[in-house]
Amino acid sequence: MTQVDQPTEFDAKAADSGANATRVFQSKENAAGAQISQERVDEVATAAIKAIHEVIRDKQVTYEEYDALKAWMIQVGVDGEWPLFLDVWMEHVVEEVANAEREGSKGTIEGPYYVPDAPELPADCTLEMREDEAGTPLLFQGQVRALDGTPLAGAIVDIWHADDAGFYSQFAPGLPDWLFRARVTADDEGRYFINTMQPAPYQIPTDGSCGKLIAAAGWHAWRPAHIHLKVSAPDHQLITTQLYFEGGEYVETDIADAVKPELMLAPTPRADGSGNEVTYDFVLDPA
Ligand code: MBD
Ligand code: FE
Protein backbone atom coordinates (compact mmCIF):
# COMPACT_ATOMS: atom_id res chain seq x y z
CA MET A 1 0.00 0.00 0.00
CA THR A 2 1.34 3.41 -0.87
CA GLN A 3 1.38 6.34 1.45
CA VAL A 4 -1.61 7.90 -0.32
CA ASP A 5 -3.80 4.83 0.09
CA GLN A 6 -3.15 4.60 3.81
CA PRO A 7 -6.21 5.99 5.62
CA THR A 8 -5.05 8.68 8.02
CA GLU A 9 -6.51 9.53 11.40
CA PHE A 10 -7.98 12.57 9.65
CA ASP A 11 -9.79 10.35 7.13
CA ALA A 12 -11.17 8.11 9.85
CA LYS A 13 -12.47 11.07 11.81
CA ALA A 14 -13.85 12.84 8.74
CA ALA A 15 -15.61 9.70 7.51
CA ASP A 16 -17.99 9.74 10.48
CA SER A 17 -19.15 13.27 9.70
CA GLY A 18 -21.15 12.54 6.58
CA ALA A 19 -22.66 9.41 8.11
CA ASN A 20 -23.73 11.12 11.32
CA ALA A 21 -25.52 13.78 9.29
CA THR A 22 -28.11 11.20 8.23
CA ARG A 23 -28.89 10.26 11.83
CA VAL A 24 -29.26 13.92 12.84
CA PHE A 25 -31.43 14.74 9.84
CA GLN A 26 -33.74 11.82 10.52
CA SER A 27 -34.39 13.14 14.02
CA LYS A 28 -35.31 16.56 12.61
CA GLU A 29 -38.99 17.35 13.04
CA ASN A 30 -41.03 17.00 9.85
CA ALA A 31 -38.00 15.86 7.87
CA ALA A 32 -39.97 13.22 6.00
CA GLY A 33 -43.47 14.29 6.94
CA ALA A 34 -43.91 17.39 4.78
CA GLN A 35 -47.33 17.52 3.11
CA ILE A 36 -46.57 18.30 -0.52
CA SER A 37 -49.53 18.20 -2.89
CA GLN A 38 -49.83 15.67 -5.71
CA GLU A 39 -49.85 18.49 -8.28
CA ARG A 40 -46.61 19.86 -6.93
CA VAL A 41 -44.87 16.48 -6.76
CA ASP A 42 -45.97 15.80 -10.34
CA GLU A 43 -44.76 19.20 -11.50
CA VAL A 44 -41.33 19.11 -9.86
CA ALA A 45 -40.57 15.39 -10.24
CA THR A 46 -41.55 15.43 -13.92
CA ALA A 47 -39.31 18.43 -14.59
CA ALA A 48 -36.39 16.92 -12.67
CA ILE A 49 -36.61 13.56 -14.46
CA LYS A 50 -36.85 15.33 -17.82
CA ALA A 51 -33.79 17.43 -17.02
CA ILE A 52 -31.82 14.23 -16.37
CA HIS A 53 -33.10 12.69 -19.64
CA GLU A 54 -31.67 15.70 -21.44
CA VAL A 55 -28.26 15.19 -19.82
CA ILE A 56 -28.27 11.52 -20.87
CA ARG A 57 -29.02 12.49 -24.47
CA ASP A 58 -26.70 15.48 -24.55
CA LYS A 59 -23.77 13.57 -23.03
CA GLN A 60 -24.60 10.22 -24.70
CA VAL A 61 -24.42 8.38 -21.36
CA THR A 62 -23.47 4.70 -21.77
CA TYR A 63 -24.72 1.60 -19.92
CA GLU A 64 -21.33 1.37 -18.22
CA GLU A 65 -21.79 4.88 -16.90
CA TYR A 66 -25.43 4.23 -15.97
CA ASP A 67 -24.38 1.23 -13.87
CA ALA A 68 -21.58 3.23 -12.27
CA LEU A 69 -24.17 5.84 -11.29
CA LYS A 70 -26.48 3.18 -9.84
CA ALA A 71 -23.67 1.66 -7.79
CA TRP A 72 -22.61 5.10 -6.59
CA MET A 73 -26.12 6.18 -5.58
CA ILE A 74 -26.65 2.95 -3.63
CA GLN A 75 -23.36 3.56 -1.82
CA VAL A 76 -24.25 7.19 -0.95
CA GLY A 77 -27.15 5.80 1.08
CA VAL A 78 -25.04 3.05 2.64
CA ASP A 79 -22.50 5.70 3.67
CA GLY A 80 -25.27 7.97 5.01
CA GLU A 81 -24.01 10.78 2.81
CA TRP A 82 -27.24 11.98 1.17
CA PRO A 83 -27.46 15.02 3.48
CA LEU A 84 -23.84 15.85 2.69
CA PHE A 85 -24.33 15.38 -1.06
CA LEU A 86 -27.52 17.45 -1.21
CA ASP A 87 -26.22 20.28 0.97
CA VAL A 88 -22.95 20.55 -0.95
CA TRP A 89 -24.32 20.40 -4.50
CA MET A 90 -28.02 21.37 -4.35
CA GLU A 91 -28.85 23.48 -1.33
CA HIS A 92 -27.34 26.75 -2.56
CA VAL A 93 -29.94 27.00 -5.31
CA VAL A 94 -32.80 26.21 -2.90
CA GLU A 95 -31.47 29.00 -0.67
CA GLU A 96 -31.23 31.37 -3.61
CA VAL A 97 -34.90 30.76 -4.43
CA ALA A 98 -36.05 30.86 -0.80
CA ASN A 99 -34.35 34.16 0.06
CA ALA A 100 -34.66 36.02 -3.25
CA GLU A 101 -37.07 38.59 -1.81
CA ARG A 102 -35.22 39.37 1.41
CA GLU A 103 -34.11 42.93 1.99
CA GLY A 104 -32.05 42.38 5.13
CA SER A 105 -28.86 40.38 5.63
CA LYS A 106 -27.91 37.79 3.06
CA GLY A 107 -28.42 34.17 3.90
CA THR A 108 -26.65 31.10 2.62
CA ILE A 109 -26.92 27.34 3.05
CA GLU A 110 -27.37 25.60 6.40
CA GLY A 111 -25.33 22.53 5.51
CA PRO A 112 -25.56 19.15 7.22
CA TYR A 113 -24.04 19.96 10.62
CA TYR A 114 -26.58 22.08 12.50
CA VAL A 115 -27.84 20.72 15.81
CA PRO A 116 -30.85 22.42 17.46
CA ASP A 117 -31.12 23.23 21.16
CA ALA A 118 -27.49 24.20 21.75
CA PRO A 119 -26.64 25.60 25.22
CA GLU A 120 -27.96 29.12 25.86
CA LEU A 121 -25.33 31.77 26.59
CA PRO A 122 -25.59 35.49 27.48
CA ALA A 123 -24.70 38.28 25.03
CA ASP A 124 -21.11 38.54 26.27
CA CYS A 125 -19.87 34.96 26.26
CA THR A 126 -17.24 32.39 25.37
CA LEU A 127 -18.24 29.33 23.37
CA GLU A 128 -17.48 25.95 24.90
CA MET A 129 -13.94 24.84 24.11
CA ARG A 130 -11.34 22.41 25.36
CA GLU A 131 -8.44 23.22 27.65
CA ASP A 132 -5.63 24.60 25.47
CA GLU A 133 -7.99 24.71 22.45
CA ALA A 134 -5.86 25.14 19.30
CA GLY A 135 -6.32 28.11 16.99
CA THR A 136 -6.53 31.87 16.80
CA PRO A 137 -8.95 33.43 19.32
CA LEU A 138 -11.68 35.52 17.71
CA LEU A 139 -14.03 38.02 19.29
CA PHE A 140 -17.07 38.00 17.02
CA GLN A 141 -19.29 40.93 17.87
CA GLY A 142 -22.13 42.91 16.34
CA GLN A 143 -25.74 43.98 16.54
CA VAL A 144 -29.07 42.62 15.30
CA ARG A 145 -31.37 45.28 13.84
CA ALA A 146 -34.64 45.63 11.94
CA LEU A 147 -34.74 46.99 8.37
CA ASP A 148 -35.33 50.52 9.73
CA GLY A 149 -32.32 50.27 12.02
CA THR A 150 -34.17 49.57 15.27
CA PRO A 151 -32.02 47.37 17.53
CA LEU A 152 -33.72 44.04 18.21
CA ALA A 153 -33.44 43.37 21.94
CA GLY A 154 -33.29 39.71 22.88
CA ALA A 155 -32.40 38.49 19.41
CA ILE A 156 -30.96 34.97 19.33
CA VAL A 157 -27.66 34.26 17.58
CA ASP A 158 -27.46 30.49 17.14
CA ILE A 159 -23.84 29.83 16.16
CA TRP A 160 -21.90 26.70 15.18
CA HIS A 161 -18.57 26.14 13.50
CA ALA A 162 -15.69 23.71 13.06
CA ASP A 163 -12.55 23.65 15.20
CA ASP A 164 -9.02 24.57 14.12
CA ALA A 165 -8.69 21.18 12.40
CA GLY A 166 -11.97 21.54 10.47
CA PHE A 167 -14.04 19.13 12.59
CA TYR A 168 -17.61 19.64 13.85
CA SER A 169 -18.74 18.46 17.28
CA GLN A 170 -21.35 15.67 17.24
CA PHE A 171 -20.24 14.69 13.72
CA ALA A 172 -16.55 13.92 14.04
CA PRO A 173 -15.74 11.55 16.93
CA GLY A 174 -13.97 12.56 20.12
CA LEU A 175 -15.13 16.17 20.38
CA PRO A 176 -17.18 17.53 23.31
CA ASP A 177 -20.87 17.56 22.30
CA TRP A 178 -21.33 21.31 22.35
CA LEU A 179 -17.88 22.40 21.25
CA PHE A 180 -18.32 25.66 19.30
CA ARG A 181 -22.12 25.49 19.46
CA ALA A 182 -24.38 27.91 21.35
CA ARG A 183 -27.55 29.95 21.27
CA VAL A 184 -26.50 33.44 22.31
CA THR A 185 -29.14 35.90 23.51
CA ALA A 186 -28.30 39.44 22.39
CA ASP A 187 -28.51 42.27 24.95
CA ASP A 188 -31.10 45.06 25.20
CA GLU A 189 -29.52 46.78 22.19
CA GLY A 190 -29.39 43.62 20.13
CA ARG A 191 -25.63 43.35 20.66
CA TYR A 192 -23.50 40.23 21.11
CA PHE A 193 -19.86 39.66 22.00
CA ILE A 194 -18.91 36.06 21.27
CA ASN A 195 -15.44 34.76 22.10
CA THR A 196 -14.43 31.76 20.05
CA MET A 197 -11.59 30.30 17.93
CA GLN A 198 -11.32 30.84 14.19
CA PRO A 199 -12.37 27.69 12.36
CA ALA A 200 -10.26 26.01 9.68
CA PRO A 201 -11.38 25.18 6.13
CA TYR A 202 -13.55 22.06 5.87
CA GLN A 203 -12.65 19.08 3.73
CA ILE A 204 -15.42 16.79 2.45
CA PRO A 205 -14.54 13.31 3.79
CA THR A 206 -12.32 11.71 1.15
CA ASP A 207 -13.24 8.08 1.82
CA GLY A 208 -17.03 8.26 1.51
CA SER A 209 -19.15 8.41 -1.64
CA CYS A 210 -19.00 12.20 -1.92
CA GLY A 211 -15.21 11.99 -1.70
CA LYS A 212 -15.20 9.29 -4.39
CA LEU A 213 -17.19 11.53 -6.74
CA ILE A 214 -14.82 14.43 -6.06
CA ALA A 215 -11.75 12.28 -6.74
CA ALA A 216 -13.29 10.67 -9.84
CA ALA A 217 -14.11 14.11 -11.27
CA GLY A 218 -10.78 15.64 -10.31
CA TRP A 219 -12.36 18.41 -8.19
CA HIS A 220 -11.02 19.73 -4.91
CA ALA A 221 -12.86 18.77 -1.72
CA TRP A 222 -12.82 21.97 0.28
CA ARG A 223 -15.08 24.60 1.77
CA PRO A 224 -13.42 27.81 2.99
CA ALA A 225 -13.29 28.40 6.75
CA HIS A 226 -16.72 29.57 7.88
CA ILE A 227 -18.96 30.35 10.83
CA HIS A 228 -22.58 29.18 10.63
CA LEU A 229 -25.39 31.26 12.13
CA LYS A 230 -29.14 31.29 12.55
CA VAL A 231 -30.18 34.76 13.66
CA SER A 232 -33.73 35.41 14.84
CA ALA A 233 -35.84 37.86 16.82
CA PRO A 234 -39.52 38.12 17.74
CA ASP A 235 -41.72 39.24 14.81
CA HIS A 236 -38.83 38.89 12.36
CA GLN A 237 -37.75 36.27 9.86
CA LEU A 238 -34.98 33.95 10.94
CA ILE A 239 -31.97 34.09 8.65
CA THR A 240 -29.65 31.10 8.17
CA THR A 241 -26.24 32.22 6.98
CA GLN A 242 -22.48 31.72 7.09
CA LEU A 243 -19.58 34.11 7.36
CA TYR A 244 -16.20 33.64 5.68
CA PHE A 245 -12.73 35.14 6.05
CA GLU A 246 -11.49 37.62 3.45
CA GLY A 247 -8.52 36.23 1.56
CA GLY A 248 -9.02 32.79 3.11
CA GLU A 249 -8.19 29.63 1.22
CA TYR A 250 -11.01 28.34 -1.04
CA VAL A 251 -13.24 31.44 -0.71
CA GLU A 252 -13.14 31.71 -4.51
CA THR A 253 -13.71 28.00 -5.14
CA ASP A 254 -16.07 26.76 -2.39
CA ILE A 255 -17.21 23.28 -3.40
CA ALA A 256 -20.66 24.07 -1.96
CA ASP A 257 -20.90 27.37 -3.88
CA ALA A 258 -22.20 29.17 -0.78
CA VAL A 259 -19.89 32.21 -0.54
CA LYS A 260 -21.31 35.69 -1.21
CA PRO A 261 -19.45 39.02 -1.14
CA GLU A 262 -21.75 40.27 1.65
CA LEU A 263 -20.66 37.42 3.90
CA MET A 264 -16.97 38.23 4.29
CA LEU A 265 -15.25 38.98 7.61
CA ALA A 266 -11.96 40.84 7.87
CA PRO A 267 -10.76 40.30 11.45
CA THR A 268 -8.08 42.58 12.87
CA PRO A 269 -5.65 41.91 15.73
CA ARG A 270 -6.99 42.88 19.17
CA ALA A 271 -5.21 45.70 20.98
CA ASP A 272 -4.31 43.41 23.88
CA GLY A 273 -2.70 40.85 21.56
CA SER A 274 -5.24 38.10 22.34
CA GLY A 275 -6.09 37.02 18.82
CA ASN A 276 -8.46 38.81 16.46
CA GLU A 277 -11.73 40.67 16.57
CA VAL A 278 -14.38 41.42 13.99
CA THR A 279 -17.75 43.14 13.89
CA TYR A 280 -20.67 41.89 11.79
CA ASP A 281 -24.22 43.22 12.11
CA PHE A 282 -27.41 41.45 11.04
CA VAL A 283 -30.53 43.05 9.60
CA LEU A 284 -33.71 40.95 9.82
CA ASP A 285 -36.74 41.23 7.56
CA PRO A 286 -40.12 41.53 9.29
CA ALA A 287 -42.08 38.30 9.71
C1 MBD B 1 -20.03 21.91 5.85
O1 MBD B 1 -19.37 22.34 6.95
C2 MBD B 1 -20.93 22.74 5.32
O2 MBD B 1 -21.13 23.91 5.91
C3 MBD B 1 -21.63 22.36 4.20
C4 MBD B 1 -22.60 23.27 3.59
C5 MBD B 1 -21.39 21.14 3.61
C6 MBD B 1 -20.47 20.30 4.14
C7 MBD B 1 -19.79 20.69 5.27
FE1 FE C 1 -20.03 24.05 7.71
Side-chain angles (χ1 to χ4, degrees):
M1 216 185 218
T2 67
Q3 200 67 27
V4 235
D5 292 328
Q6 201 76 49
T8 63
E9 197 183 323
F10 178 90
D11 292 330
K13 211 164 169 178
D16 290 278
S17 300
N20 285 343
T22 289
R23 183 180 44 75
V24 168
F25 182 78
Q26 285 175 323
S27 65
K28 185 171 159 181
E29 229 179 306
N30 290 328
Q35 289 304 309
I36 298 168
S37 73
Q38 187 187 70
E39 281 106 320
R40 183 65 176 163
V41 174
D42 178 31
E43 181 186 17
V44 176
T46 300
I49 290 165
K50 256 175 134 168
I52 294 168
H53 296 166
E54 270 322 295
V55 174
I56 296 168
R57 282 195 194 97
D58 183 36
K59 301 300 173 193
Q60 295 282 287
V61 172
T62 66
Y63 262 104
E64 189 185 25
E65 291 163 344
Y66 178 61
D67 282 349
L69 173 67
K70 250 192 227 179
W72 180 80
M73 289 182 102
I74 291 165
Q75 195 58 37
V76 175
V78 170
D79 293 345
E81 286 199 346
W82 279 118
L84 182 64
F85 172 81
L86 289 163
D87 294 350
V88 168
W89 284 290
M90 302 291 145
E91 190 188 353
H92 71 99
V93 190
V94 180
E95 190 278 330
E96 176 189 313
V97 171
N99 288 333
E101 303 300 321
R102 278 199 198 239
E103 292 177 47
S105 295
K106 289 285 177 205
T108 191
I109 63 178
E110 175 173 322
Y113 301 146
Y114 175 65
V115 182
D117 305 319
E120 294 179 35
L121 292 178
D124 191 340
C125 64
T126 299
L127 300 191
E128 178 175 335
M129 50 185 103
R130 294 158 289 196
E131 247 178 80
D132 303 318
E133 185 72 44
T136 305
L138 177 70
L139 170 59
F140 172 70
Q141 57 191 341
Q143 186 183 38
V144 186
R145 294 188 297 265
L147 284 177
D148 68 0
T150 310
L152 294 174
I156 306 287
V157 178
D158 195 339
I159 183 171
W160 74 102
H161 64 76
D163 68 7
D164 186 58
F167 293 119
Y168 283 89
S169 59
Q170 299 190 44
F171 294 90
L175 277 57
D177 277 359
W178 299 104
L179 180 82
F180 299 129
R181 295 180 182 275
R183 283 178 295 164
V184 178
T185 303
D187 69 14
D188 291 346
E189 292 183 330
R191 291 185 195 281
Y192 46 87
F193 310 87
I194 302 170
N195 289 282
T196 188
M197 289 283 179
Q198 287 185 205
Y202 175 85
Q203 185 181 26
I204 306 296
T206 51
D207 50 1
S209 294
C210 291
K212 296 242 162 66
L213 170 62
I214 288 165
W219 302 333
H220 81 65
W222 293 86
R223 299 214 59 224
H226 57 278
I227 295 174
H228 291 269
L229 300 130
K230 285 178 181 284
V231 182
S232 60
D235 304 319
H236 288 76
Q237 291 180 46
L238 178 151
I239 187 88
T240 298
T241 193
Q242 299 180 32
L243 299 173
Y244 306 90
F245 297 89
E246 237 172 69
E249 241 186 318
Y250 311 112
V251 288
E252 306 290 340
T253 58
D254 179 12
I255 190 163
D257 225 337
V259 178
K260 302 180 185 184
E262 298 87 348
L263 302 178
M264 306 309 297
L265 300 175
T268 54
R270 297 188 70 176
D272 65 4
S274 64
N276 294 330
E277 65 187 354
V278 72
T279 300
Y280 193 92
D281 298 339
F282 294 97
V283 176
L284 301 186
D285 285 60

Short mmCIF file of all heavy atoms in Angstrom, two decimals, residues 13 130 169-177 179:
data_model
loop_
_atom_site.label_atom_id
_atom_site.label_comp_id
_atom_site.label_asym_id
_atom_site.label_seq_id
_atom_site.Cartn_x
_atom_site.Cartn_y
_atom_site.Cartn_z
N LYS A 13 -11.65 10.13 11.06
CA LYS A 13 -12.47 11.07 11.81
C LYS A 13 -13.47 11.77 10.88
O LYS A 13 -14.63 11.94 11.21
CB LYS A 13 -11.55 12.11 12.45
CG LYS A 13 -12.05 12.67 13.75
CD LYS A 13 -10.87 13.36 14.44
CE LYS A 13 -11.34 14.17 15.61
NZ LYS A 13 -10.20 14.80 16.30
N ARG A 130 -12.16 23.29 24.53
CA ARG A 130 -11.34 22.41 25.36
C ARG A 130 -10.22 23.20 26.02
O ARG A 130 -9.89 24.29 25.58
CB ARG A 130 -10.76 21.27 24.50
CG ARG A 130 -11.83 20.34 23.97
CD ARG A 130 -11.38 19.58 22.74
NE ARG A 130 -11.27 20.44 21.56
CZ ARG A 130 -11.19 19.99 20.31
NH1 ARG A 130 -11.18 18.71 20.08
NH2 ARG A 130 -11.11 20.84 19.30
N SER A 169 -18.28 19.28 16.16
CA SER A 169 -18.74 18.46 17.28
C SER A 169 -20.04 17.75 16.91
O SER A 169 -20.84 18.27 16.12
CB SER A 169 -18.93 19.32 18.53
OG SER A 169 -19.86 20.36 18.32
N GLN A 170 -20.22 16.56 17.46
CA GLN A 170 -21.35 15.67 17.24
C GLN A 170 -21.35 15.01 15.86
O GLN A 170 -22.24 14.25 15.52
CB GLN A 170 -22.71 16.35 17.48
CG GLN A 170 -22.86 16.83 18.93
CD GLN A 170 -24.25 17.29 19.26
OE1 GLN A 170 -25.23 16.63 18.91
NE2 GLN A 170 -24.34 18.41 19.97
N PHE A 171 -20.34 15.32 15.04
CA PHE A 171 -20.24 14.69 13.72
C PHE A 171 -18.91 13.97 13.56
O PHE A 171 -18.87 12.85 13.06
CB PHE A 171 -20.49 15.71 12.61
CG PHE A 171 -21.91 16.21 12.64
CD1 PHE A 171 -22.26 17.32 13.39
CD2 PHE A 171 -22.91 15.52 11.98
CE1 PHE A 171 -23.58 17.75 13.48
CE2 PHE A 171 -24.24 15.94 12.05
CZ PHE A 171 -24.57 17.06 12.80
N ALA A 172 -17.84 14.62 13.96
CA ALA A 172 -16.55 13.92 14.04
C ALA A 172 -16.45 13.34 15.45
O ALA A 172 -16.94 13.94 16.40
CB ALA A 172 -15.41 14.89 13.77
N PRO A 173 -15.82 12.18 15.60
CA PRO A 173 -15.74 11.55 16.93
C PRO A 173 -14.72 12.24 17.84
O PRO A 173 -13.79 12.88 17.37
CB PRO A 173 -15.30 10.12 16.61
CG PRO A 173 -14.58 10.21 15.31
CD PRO A 173 -15.20 11.35 14.55
N GLY A 174 -14.96 12.13 19.15
CA GLY A 174 -13.97 12.56 20.12
C GLY A 174 -14.01 14.03 20.51
O GLY A 174 -13.15 14.50 21.24
N LEU A 175 -15.01 14.75 20.02
CA LEU A 175 -15.13 16.17 20.38
C LEU A 175 -16.24 16.33 21.43
O LEU A 175 -17.24 15.61 21.37
CB LEU A 175 -15.47 17.02 19.15
CG LEU A 175 -14.33 17.46 18.23
CD1 LEU A 175 -13.53 16.30 17.70
CD2 LEU A 175 -14.87 18.30 17.07
N PRO A 176 -16.08 17.28 22.37
CA PRO A 176 -17.18 17.53 23.31
C PRO A 176 -18.46 17.88 22.53
O PRO A 176 -18.40 18.55 21.50
CB PRO A 176 -16.70 18.73 24.12
CG PRO A 176 -15.21 18.77 23.94
CD PRO A 176 -14.93 18.17 22.60
N ASP A 177 -19.61 17.42 23.03
CA ASP A 177 -20.87 17.56 22.30
C ASP A 177 -21.18 18.97 21.83
O ASP A 177 -21.71 19.18 20.74
CB ASP A 177 -22.05 17.07 23.16
CG ASP A 177 -22.22 15.57 23.09
OD1 ASP A 177 -21.43 14.91 22.36
OD2 ASP A 177 -23.12 15.05 23.77
N LEU A 179 -19.05 21.61 21.66
CA LEU A 179 -17.88 22.40 21.25
C LEU A 179 -18.26 23.34 20.11
O LEU A 179 -18.76 22.89 19.07
CB LEU A 179 -16.77 21.45 20.79
CG LEU A 179 -15.47 22.11 20.32
CD1 LEU A 179 -14.60 22.46 21.52
CD2 LEU A 179 -14.71 21.17 19.37
#
